[in-house]
Amino acid sequence: MERQRTKIGARILSEQELNMILPNADSVFEQIEVFRRNIADTAGQQTNNIGIIGCRGAGKTSILKTFSKKLEEKNKGREGSKDIMLPLIVPENMSSGTTLMDVVLGMLKSIVDERKKNDRREMGECIYAGRDSLEKKYNNLVKQYCYIKKDYRDILIQQFTTEQNYVDKTKEVFNSDTEFISLFREFISFLLDGESKAGEKGDALLFLFIDDIDLSTTRCMDVVRALLSYLSLPRIVTFISGDMNTFEEALTLDFLRQEKALSEDVFGKSYLSAGEGGSSGTLLERKKELAYEYLKKIIPPAYRKRIKYW
């Protein structure tokens, strides 16, 4: 009698397995096409985050791997510019001091290096050196990103020679976030469309996969800031998996920690006066409401897919 081989752990699921774990999984691809059609109509930020919600061991990682594989297969049949799928990101595995945007920019560097190698082989060294290449845009992006990093900003401001030099460097720091977002949007479009489009905007997308956002509670705010500030672009689609209750709890504790209110005698009190507007209740209750609202912005309820736990 032949034994059936069963793989334990995350793996690419069959069509039947996918639909058993995540009923109506095809609706995810329908939603992606909606994102794709809305690219031209969205000038500002756009939240294209799809949540795969479930408890530990429910199969979230397998679902992310399966969606990535299916998107790659669909991408082979696309005409014109192609979608880009970045490798799976697990915040818990990121080294200390590394942020989500550090990891994303590092992954994009691998794509830039590969494109650079192919372009040099096809066009020759001299032609490549004289063009406005993807590599140049990436280097400018990273330079601007350094202004956002606190350690670099402190060094930049401290190293001045005159009063005017100090003012100039300070202005660069003050405008760093806005400038980086603008350069990042431009770089993503250039990466997806290529130069052959001559300024024409295509409909290719960049896909991110972030797994188990609830595991590393110390990184929750970093994930929130990156998603809301930098990665909410019309041409970026992010799959996020995790347990929403755990993530909400971690955000609540982080808000309390930032206000140095992690003690029962502090977060159990209400600091609103009787005539003051806004939310009522204790500090803890208000921070729980705030965490809930943040999660609604990161993963809108309409984009959440809940795993059926067997």
Side-chain angles (χ1 to χ4, degrees), residues 138-148 152 172 183:
Y138 178 80
N139 290 339
N140 289 335
L141 178 68
V142 172
K143 179 181 177 181
Q144 189 62 44
Y145 180 65
C146 289
Y147 294 156
I148 299 173
Y152 185 85
E172 289 181 341
L183 288 176

Side-chain angles (χ1 to χ4, degrees), residues 286-303:
R286 293 203 304 277
K287 295 308 175 187
K288 287 170 68 175
E289 291 176 7
L290 181 61
Y292 176 75
E293 293 301 322
Y294 260 84
L295 283 178
K296 279 196 345 188
K297 284 180 173 290
I298 299 168
I299 313 175
Y303 300 162

Side-chain angles (χ1 to χ4, degrees), residues 18-25 28 52 63 67 305-307:
L18 177 62
N19 286 300
M20 285 178 62
I21 297 174
L22 193 68
N24 200 21
V28 171
I52 306 300
I63 288 175
F67 278 134
K305 306 296 178 182
R306 296 192 179 276
I307 294 177

Side-chain angles (χ1 to χ4, degrees), residues 89-105:
I89 300 173
V90 183
E92 186 189 24
N93 296 341
M94 289 158 46
S95 59
S96 177
T98 302
T99 66
L100 177 59
M101 277 308 297
D102 293 345
V103 174
V104 171
L105 290 175

